[in-house]
Amino acid sequence: MFDCYDLFDEVQLFYVMKWEIRLHGRGGQGVVTASKIIAEAAFAEGYQSQSIPFFGAERRGSPVTAFTRISEHEIRERSQIYHPDYLLILDPLVMRTVDVFQGLKSGGGVVISSPSAIERDVFPNIELTVGLVDGVGVSIRNDLVVAGNPVVNIPAIGAFLRIFPEISIECVEKIVLEKFGNRSVRALYSSYDETEVFRIRGSREKKKEERKKPEKVWIPASKPAKGVAGITGYWRDFRPVIDYGRCTGCLNCWIHCPEGSISRKNGDVEIDYTFCKGCLVCLAVCPRKAISSEREVSA
Ligand code: SF4
Ligand code: SF4
């Protein structure tokens, strides 16, 4: 059962600003680093922030996704981002294999690193602000080429700052200078200046499954899709175990489980160990301390 502080927490979230950003690119383009830099800059600006990478096949050239959350309030979600406010697409070719626009909110923003204009029918049929920049060109002109590969993540961040005013370019400059030096700072400012910003309503056919839930986040609930990352039960080092003598069935653990591994069956809360990845978020959020952890020992 929630105590009064939990309830206060939930109610507070109703009023706070929060942004979810999803980044798409290919292995070697610095997608994860871009996500971290944005999160770090947001934190320096006084926000709470979070950066989560998601790798498929871990090799150069394969699709890579990363997630950044920025909020005025503590961030409790640990799931992937399914309905982003912003998208950063570091390579337009990724759009051929990944439905990068999936779940994007109407009124949101998109950054695309591309040397040429993007056709209107590529965008979904919603209102969007687009920041278009030739990230590869910016990198080459600023001598930002590593091992023969133009570094496109810094130009993508520069373009993002044009459509996301919550983070100042001066704040990002400090981080980029410390981590990567002057060439990256020059590329950041070049990209910021060269980014073309425009509003668009795409003409791509609407997806059949329109979202039914409201745009606002009412509680800090994850929206996990069970099994989206495969059989995540193999990842576990520790196994959460419920003490049914203490459990009140409040379902706080269910709300926060990033893998959707907790359900209620026949009145009891149950953990699906096929998909439970052992993150122990459930243990941390249980108000009754009804969940403990055991070392996972596989045969
Ligand atoms: S440890 Fe708990 S929160 Fe994490 S995946 Fe397993 S059941 Fe879900
Ligand atoms: S185990 Fe889950 S349902 Fe049971 S008391 Fe803890 S948070 Fe609530």
Side-chain angles (χ1 to χ4, degrees):
M1 189 176 290
F2 291 109
D3 62 27
C4 59
Y5 293 105
D6 288 326
L7 281 173
F8 180 66
D9 249 1
E10 311 299 329
V11 170
Q12 267 202 330
L13 263 188
F14 188 86
Y15 298 104
V16 300
M17 295 300 291
K18 179 179 149 193
W19 302 272
E20 294 190 312
I21 304 150
R22 195 169 66 207
L23 299 90
H24 295 276
R26 291 186 286 115
Q29 292 185 319
V31 175
V32 175
T33 302
S35 168
K36 284 182 187 166
I37 291 172
I38 293 170
E40 207 174 310
F43 188 75
E45 293 278 19
Y47 292 107
Q48 298 286 313
S49 63
Q50 178 190 71
S51 171
I52 303 174
F54 181 80
F55 300 98
E58 290 189 44
R59 63 186 166 86
R60 185 172 286 274
S62 61
V64 173
T65 309
F67 311 98
T68 308
R69 285 191 175 92
I70 299 171
S71 174
E72 292 180 337
H73 194 275
E74 177 189 356
I75 300 170
R76 291 187 177 180
E77 296 100 314
R78 297 290 184 273
S79 67
Q80 298 181 37
I81 291 171
Y82 300 99
H83 300 291
D85 302 285
Y86 289 90
L87 286 178
L88 269 70
I89 303 165
L90 274 62
D91 185 340
L93 297 179
V94 173
M95 293 192 278
R96 294 186 185 175
T97 52
V98 179
D99 184 5
V100 293
F101 295 107
Q102 193 172 39
L104 178 63
K105 291 177 183 170
S106 181
V110 182
V111 163
I112 304 185
S113 173
S114 169
S116 53
I118 305 291
E119 295 295 324
R120 191 163 161 258
D121 62 4
V122 169
F123 296 98
N125 186 16
I126 53 177
E127 295 291 340
L128 295 170
T129 301
V130 177
L132 183 68
V133 69
D134 176 12
V136 172
V138 168
S139 297
I140 292 172
R141 283 195 296 283
N142 287 281
D143 198 18
L144 200 61
V145 179
V146 177
N149 294 308
V151 177
V152 291
N153 59 352
I154 301 295
I157 294 172
F160 175 63
L161 298 177
R162 285 288 302 280
I163 63 170
F164 187 74
E166 305 300 323
I167 300 175
S168 68
I169 193 165
E170 291 78 14
C171 183
V172 177
E173 177 190 347
K174 278 187 203 150
I175 296 166
V176 168
L177 181 64
E178 191 181 328
K179 287 184 192 291
F180 306 115
N182 281 321
R183 283 182 302 170
S184 295
V185 171
R186 281 200 302 273
L188 179 74
Y189 275 93
S190 295
S191 170
Y192 186 85
D193 292 337
E194 292 176 27
T195 297
E196 182 191 349
V197 177
F198 55 93
R199 302 270 304 165
I200 195 171
R201 174 178 272 276
S203 57
R204 196 179 75 166
E205 200 183 35
K206 271 189 177 180
K207 289 274 172 202
K208 285 181 199 141
E209 37 6 288
E210 285 280 76
R211 277 188 303 124
K212 296 187 182 99
K213 62 179 198 46
E215 300 288 345
K216 282 187 193 288
V217 176
W218 297 87
I219 55 171
S222 296
K223 310 167 197 77
K226 193 166 167 178
V228 73
I231 308 295
T232 41
Y234 293 127
W235 299 4
R236 227 173 23 240
D237 290 320
F238 291 92
R239 162 183 291 246
V241 178
I242 298 175
D243 176 351
Y244 289 102
R246 300 181 70 89
C247 174
T248 59
C250 70
L251 291 180
N252 207 28
C253 53
W254 168 78
I255 288 173
H256 289 89
C257 174
E259 290 301 321
S261 304
I262 298 178
S263 59
R264 194 168 191 176
K265 280 193 191 135
N266 303 325
D268 276 340
V269 177
E270 285 186 1
I271 296 173
D272 184 342
Y273 290 109
T274 305
F275 297 104
C276 164
K277 64 184 178 186
C279 65
L280 301 183
V281 167
C282 53
L283 182 152
V285 300
C286 174
R288 294 278 302 159
K289 305 215 177 313
I291 301 181
S292 58
S293 67
E294 287 181 358
R295 180 75 198 271
E296 189 70 51
V297 182
S298 54

